[in-house]
Amino acid sequence: MNIQKRFLPSLFLWVLPVLFCLSACRNNPAAGKPKRMAVVVSTLNNPWFVFLAEKAAAKAKELGYETKIFDSQNNTALETDHFENALASGYQAILFNPTDAEGSVVNVQKAKDAGVPVFCMDREVNSTDAATSQILSDSYAGCVALGKYFVEKMNKQGTYVELLGLVGDNNTWNRSKGFHSVVDYYSGLKMVAQQSADFDRNKGMEVLESILQAHPDINAVFCGNDAMAMGAYQALVAAGKADKVKIFGFDGAPEVIESIRDGKIVATAMQFPEVMANTAATSADEYLKGKRDFPKKLPVAVELVNKEDINDYSAYGKKE
Amino acid sequence: MKKGLNYIITLLLLVVVAYNSVYFKKLSEVKAAGKSKQFNATAYAQDYLNGKLPSALDKALDVNRLTALLKADPETGFQKYSHALGIGNIRFFLVKGQGEIAKIEEDATTLLVQQDTARQLIRIATEYVFGNAVRDASGLININEFDNTMDFNGVSAEVNKIIREKVLPPFKKEAKKGDEVIFTGAIELNQAHLKLDNIEVVPVTLQLVKKSQ
């Protein structure tokens, strides 16, 4: 009994503060840790996304955060693992390029439930309240401009093929719908095939090679991104038709900018990945400093690039 | 006896749970409810063009005044008079003016617009009425009011469709070289690479004043 009396006060004196600290650490996993931002990107197999991820990480670093880039390899299951790792490791914000508009919502929601803000870059998730803000290229408007130029260059007639991107990505459909919102008004323009090549250069080449077997006399190819446009160009070179078929891309990748200059590709739509990456990282920093008022969606203008104004542009943006 | 009572209570509980777990609704009712939630882009576009936009167009700057300002002080011009829903170099302006038809082509009608001592040729788009100029130039529409981006894009498509179907056909039918045209509309400019020598107006209203009148 005496022993109990002697030990109880000291027990309270030592054990309670320890318990309090443990509880505080559990509530705030980042307490005492360096400031960290995770960059989760759909794929690093496409130079455009490498550029986006590196620019986001560089901006976050510039703002004083430790960063790590996670590659989802276009796989939502892997993306889920990355989110779980990022949350368990105490990252305070996630700069996110989703793999799938629908499939990625659960990951963003999980981060939100854990109190970690998510800022989407370039691709959107189909939820208006899961992400803190979504900074997205205005793909639809970019492809409206591209569609108008397409109609002009084709003199309102001819046959064409459309290579779509990943079918689960909203950008694929925003681009396709923007393009068709113009082109479908012209009955002289006939689409003979529309197939997905997953935004991938090799698949772009293979898909067009196979389409060319059935439709050897096409006049144009509209591609949902520049990687597929370069793949399509390779397929047309192999078939000896590169100078007869007009190719249109989307992104503003270095090779396509050079190809427009050389007359191999007719036009692309320039996205501004650095603007999106910087805006996402800066917004995340502002959030962590207390700001809460962010637009749910922030479109970033996309610009048509063709041979006439190619000198105004360089890869992934405007010439300084 | 007690065992039997237990069975009866368990059975009753199961029935209550099962009854409250399953609901039957008419398929037609469910479909109708889904439809009522669908965004009506046509109605929204009509309301925008007929209800909200006219008062904004009343305050639009004369096209010659705007170009003069943009030549002299582009930063102020863009800041004060342009709108865009996001970030980037593409910005939109509402404009109005009056000019004489100098040329009629398949895709556009060129007007000579004179005001005070300023005169310039501007193009009225009569073929390629696409894009977001009319939707975004007023600054009256907020993207965050829309649940999904395609609904928002649908507004532009419908606004442009109304212009193509209602505004352009009577104008194209009647317009002759030398006629005066009073117009309102929207223009798109790139603030990083400003080009003012080939301004194209997407028209919202076009009023012909015949030479003989």
Side-chain angles (χ1 to χ4, degrees):
Chain A
M1 191 70 180
N2 272 344
I3 292 168
Q4 270 184 356
K5 271 185 185 171
R6 220 166 54 197
F7 279 101
L8 261 177
S10 58
L11 191 75
F12 276 104
L13 202 69
W14 291 103
V15 173
L16 281 179
V18 170
L19 284 173
F20 178 77
C21 282
L22 282 173
S23 153
C25 289
R26 199 181 62 181
N27 288 338
N28 182 8
K33 288 180 183 173
K35 298 194 299 176
R36 303 168 91 188
M37 268 189 211
V39 180
V40 181
V41 65
S42 59
T43 176
L44 291 177
N45 197 27
N46 177 331
W48 195 92
F49 292 107
V50 175
F51 186 84
L52 178 79
E54 284 177 350
K55 287 292 171 189
K59 187 66 186 176
K61 209 169 273 180
E62 189 189 310
L63 292 164
Y65 293 85
E66 273 183 15
T67 58
K68 185 178 173 186
I69 297 173
F70 296 85
D71 176 8
S72 306
Q73 296 171 27
N74 281 331
N75 180 340
T76 44
L78 191 55
E79 186 181 276
T80 303
D81 290 346
H82 291 329
F83 264 73
E84 279 167 4
N85 286 339
L87 296 177
S89 312
Y91 283 90
Q92 287 119 317
I94 297 174
L95 311 181
F96 181 41
N97 172 247
T99 296
D100 187 292
E102 208 61 62
S104 298
V105 173
V106 64
N107 295 328
V108 181
Q109 190 59 46
K110 201 178 287 173
K112 189 189 177 189
D113 294 344
V116 174
V118 177
F119 292 83
C120 291
M121 303 180 288
D122 179 52
R123 288 178 174 179
E124 69 181 319
V125 289
N126 288 343
S127 165
T128 47
D129 60 354
T132 307
S133 185
Q134 305 199 55
I135 301 124
L136 314 164
S137 277
D138 194 346
S139 291
Y140 183 91
C143 281
V144 168
L146 211 49
K148 185 180 155 188
Y149 192 67
F150 181 91
V151 175
E152 284 173 356
K153 285 283 144 188
M154 296 284 285
N155 288 324
K156 300 173 186 165
Q157 57 189 353
T159 53
Y160 69 95
V161 168
E162 180 181 6
L163 296 185
L164 295 163
L166 289 163
V167 290
D169 177 22
N170 282 7
N171 278 343
T172 296
W173 300 110
N174 285 338
R175 290 173 196 178
S176 181
K177 284 176 181 171
F179 177 77
H180 285 286
S181 76
V182 180
V183 175
D184 291 359
Y185 272 94
Y186 298 91
S187 55
L189 289 165
K190 295 212 180 338
M191 183 170 71
V192 292
Q194 182 190 47
Q195 250 178 271
S196 169
D198 293 346
F199 290 135
D200 184 88
R201 182 176 180 147
N202 289 335
K203 282 187 189 163
M205 184 177 76
E206 288 162 16
V207 168
L208 190 64
E209 274 173 351
S210 117
I211 291 172
L212 283 171
Q213 304 290 321
H215 304 283
D217 299 321
I218 57 166
N219 306 111
V221 188
F222 168 64
C223 306
N225 80 344
D226 281 349
M228 295 190 294
M230 288 312 298
Y233 178 73
Q234 279 177 275
L236 288 163
V237 168
K241 296 176 188 294
D243 55 341
K244 294 184 190 80
V245 180
K246 296 178 173 68
I247 306 171
F248 297 77
F250 190 103
D251 275 345
E255 226 179 329
V256 165
I257 294 299
E258 282 314 307
S259 298
I260 291 173
R261 211 184 297 278
D262 298 340
K264 295 173 186 168
I265 286 183
V266 177
T268 187
M270 178 64 75
Q271 298 196 82
F272 295 88
E274 191 168 359
V275 172
M276 286 188 274
N278 286 350
T279 308
T282 308
S283 300
D285 178 51
E286 286 170 349
Y287 181 96
L288 296 172
K289 286 174 178 163
K291 184 180 168 184
R292 289 294 180 270
D293 180 28
F294 292 95
K296 283 290 165 195
K297 280 181 191 171
L298 185 64
V300 179
V302 172
E303 298 175 28
L304 176 74
V305 182
N306 53 33
K307 204 166 184 178
E308 290 98 78
D309 55 15
I310 188 72
N311 291 329
D312 291 345
Y313 296 90
S314 57
Y316 305 132
K318 277 210 178 284
K319 260 190 188 154
E320 294 300 325
Chain B
M1 183 68 186
K2 205 176 169 186
K3 212 174 176 183
L5 196 69
N6 275 343
Y7 281 131
I8 291 167
I9 291 170
T10 312
L11 197 68
L12 273 173
L13 275 172
L14 280 172
V15 169
V16 169
V17 168
Y19 180 77
N20 285 299
S21 304
V22 182
Y23 296 90
F24 294 95
K25 278 185 178 178
K26 280 186 179 174
L27 184 62
S28 55
E29 282 173 12
V30 174
K31 279 183 176 172
K35 267 183 191 168
S36 70
K37 279 182 200 161
Q38 272 176 14
F39 175 70
N40 187 339
T42 312
Y44 190 98
Q46 270 164 352
D47 178 55
Y48 174 67
L49 280 174
N50 303 326
K52 295 175 186 159
L53 192 59
S55 58
L57 280 167
D58 287 343
K59 294 174 210 146
L61 206 59
D62 184 275
V63 70
N64 277 11
R65 288 212 173 121
L66 178 66
T67 47
L69 174 63
L70 290 172
K71 276 177 194 160
D73 184 359
E75 206 180 320
T76 307
F78 272 95
Q79 209 169 31
K80 217 169 160 185
Y81 295 104
S82 76
H83 286 105
L85 296 168
I87 50 178
N89 301 314
I90 308 281
R91 309 277 305 173
F92 304 97
F93 298 79
L94 284 181
V95 291
K96 61 184 173 190
Q98 181 168 351
E100 185 185 308
I101 296 179
K103 194 164 48 170
I104 297 174
E105 291 167 297
E106 196 186 339
D107 300 339
T109 296
T110 305
L111 304 183
L112 178 65
V113 181
Q114 301 195 61
Q115 193 187 39
D116 306 327
T117 54
R119 45 190 277 149
Q120 68 172 327
L121 291 169
I122 61 135
R123 285 157 57 86
I124 303 284
T126 54
E127 173 71 27
Y128 297 112
V129 175
F130 299 103
N132 299 330
V134 176
R135 184 194 68 187
D136 296 357
S138 67
L140 294 171
I141 297 180
N142 177 6
I143 187 174
N144 292 303
E145 288 168 12
F146 293 81
D147 284 344
N148 88 52
T149 317
M150 281 320 295
D151 287 348
F152 185 58
N153 293 328
V155 172
S156 270
E158 288 300 324
V159 162
N160 294 330
K161 191 176 166 195
I162 293 169
I163 293 169
R164 274 194 304 270
E165 288 176 359
K166 307 267 184 215
V167 178
L168 293 179
F171 175 78
K172 285 169 93 167
K173 195 175 163 193
E174 298 291 328
K176 300 272 180 300
K177 194 178 169 185
D179 288 345
E180 280 285 314
V181 181
I182 301 167
F183 65 89
T184 62
I187 61 172
E188 173 185 320
L189 292 172
N190 186 320
Q191 61 181 339
H193 292 281
L194 188 56
K195 286 167 187 160
L196 295 170
D197 53 350
N198 192 21
I199 286 186
E200 185 170 274
V201 178
V202 177
V204 176
T205 59
L206 290 169
Q207 187 190 337
L208 270 174
V209 184
K210 287 286 183 187
K211 233 181 176 179
S212 54
Q213 282 174 357

